[in-house]
């Protein structure tokens, strides 16, 4: 195997070289064409590429006094592991800000690399100062108590028509979010690694004076 295509590609190597668009291209190439949520999830705090394994949570709106507020929320936060990304499937609800500074502090301390919230967040200024990477639909100053709660953790969840399962690899950046099922992870990452380095060669050829048509004919990528 040549130098640009290592046998093992670590998470740190992925963070340095890969991104959501190249991952989607690799997924497309093996017939997985629905792995990026078709909804606007905005980077609220940073613009870096975040890579990690999904830690899923399923949320529901509520309209009564909660006898055990935050119970599963705290369990989920305390069970997160290093290099995981917290996934909150809240159906895009804007009923409250279900994620904020304190939860970010707790999971960051445990090595969590970011959070993807299909709903609203709060404490954006404080999370930017940390800094902690968060993607969300929008913001709300309301606390989640008696408004929303986690009803399950580590179950498959759906966001924007895409299934996220705990342990799946997820990439998030300013372009969007892409999730890689574990069963195809090795193949997809190898394909993405190969393509990103071929794109570098394509780009260098264009800069050296080759036309885009000539470069495409030679390398077969775009």
């Amino acid at each position: 195997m040549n130098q640009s295509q290592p046998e093992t590609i670590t998470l740190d190597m992925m963070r340095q070289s890969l991104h959501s668009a190249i991952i989607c291209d690799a997924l497309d190439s093996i017939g997985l064409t629905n792995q990026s949520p078709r909804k606007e999830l905005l980077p609220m705090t940073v613009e870096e590429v975040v890579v990690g394994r999904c830690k899923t949570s399923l949320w529901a709106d509520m309209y009564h006094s909660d006898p055990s507020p935050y119970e599963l929320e705290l369990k989920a936060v305390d069970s997160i592991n290093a290099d995981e990304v917290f996934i909150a499937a809240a159906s895009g609800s804007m009923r409250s800000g279900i994620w904020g500074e304190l939860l970010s502090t707790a999971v960051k301390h445990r090595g969590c690399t970011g959070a993807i919230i299909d709903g609203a967040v709060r404490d954006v200024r404080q999370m930017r100062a940390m800094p902690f990477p968060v993607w969300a639909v929008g913001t709300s100053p309301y606390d989640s108590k008696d408004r929303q709660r986690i009803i399950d953790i580590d179950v498959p969840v759906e966001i924007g028509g895409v299934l996220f399962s705990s342990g799946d690899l997820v990439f998030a950046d300013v372009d969007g979010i892409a999730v890689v099922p574990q069963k195809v992870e090795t193949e997809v990452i190898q394909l993405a690694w190969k393509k990103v380095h071929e794109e570098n060669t394509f780009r260098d050829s264009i800069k050296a004076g080759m036309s885009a048509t000539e470069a495409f004919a030679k390398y077969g990528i775009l």
Side-chain angles (χ1 to χ4, degrees):
M1 190 169 291
N2 62 42
Q3 187 175 2
S4 65
Q5 191 72 16
E7 185 173 350
T8 300
I9 301 171
T10 66
L11 290 176
D12 283 339
M13 292 165 69
M14 295 179 206
R15 292 174 185 128
Q16 291 295 319
S17 297
L18 303 181
H19 48 85
S20 65
I22 205 77
I23 293 298
C24 281
D25 289 351
L27 287 160
D28 278 351
S29 73
I30 63 168
L32 295 182
T33 58
N34 187 44
Q35 295 301 124
S36 178
R38 287 181 170 86
K39 68 182 305 181
E40 194 169 33
L41 290 162
L42 302 173
M44 308 298 291
T45 57
V46 302
E47 293 192 354
E48 65 188 71
V49 177
V50 167
V51 183
R53 299 200 175 277
C54 297
K55 172 72 174 183
T56 64
S57 63
L58 181 63
W59 293 70
D61 287 0
M62 57 187 298
Y63 299 87
H64 63 281
S65 179
D66 192 345
S68 302
Y70 313 122
E71 183 178 2
L72 277 180
E73 190 173 318
L74 294 170
K75 181 179 178 181
V77 165
D78 285 342
S79 65
I80 204 162
N81 296 310
D83 291 320
E84 289 186 330
V85 176
F86 190 90
I87 309 292
S91 301
S93 174
M94 299 297 290
R95 183 161 168 74
S96 69
I98 62 175
W99 191 267
E101 177 193 10
L102 297 183
L103 294 182
S104 294
T105 301
V107 297
K108 184 177 182 180
H109 179 71
R110 295 182 62 85
C112 175
T113 60
I116 296 171
I117 311 298
D118 185 18
V121 298
R122 63 183 198 165
D123 305 329
V124 172
R125 177 176 52 83
Q126 296 93 319
M127 292 189 295
R128 285 175 178 167
M130 292 175 63
F132 185 74
V134 177
W135 280 256
V137 175
T139 61
S140 170
Y142 285 118
D143 182 65
S144 64
K145 184 178 182 295
D146 299 338
R147 295 186 176 97
Q148 289 175 272
R149 67 179 176 189
I150 292 181
I151 58 174
D152 215 340
I153 58 176
D154 290 322
V155 294
V157 298
E158 183 269 338
I159 298 176
V162 176
L163 198 65
F164 291 71
S165 296
S166 286
D168 285 351
L169 200 59
V170 64
F171 290 74
D173 54 35
V174 294
D175 288 335
I177 295 161
V179 60
V180 182
Q182 292 183 76
K183 64 182 179 181
V184 296
E185 177 182 315
T186 299
E187 180 182 11
V188 168
I189 296 306
Q190 290 287 347
L191 287 168
W193 188 271
K194 182 175 184 290
K195 188 171 191 289
V196 79
H197 287 87
E198 288 175 342
E199 285 186 351
N200 291 340
T201 300
F202 181 98
R203 186 185 310 108
D204 291 343
S205 298
I206 295 291
K207 289 180 177 179
M210 187 180 290
S211 72
T213 301
E214 292 171 329
F216 181 75
K218 181 173 182 178
Y219 302 112
I221 60 170
L222 187 60

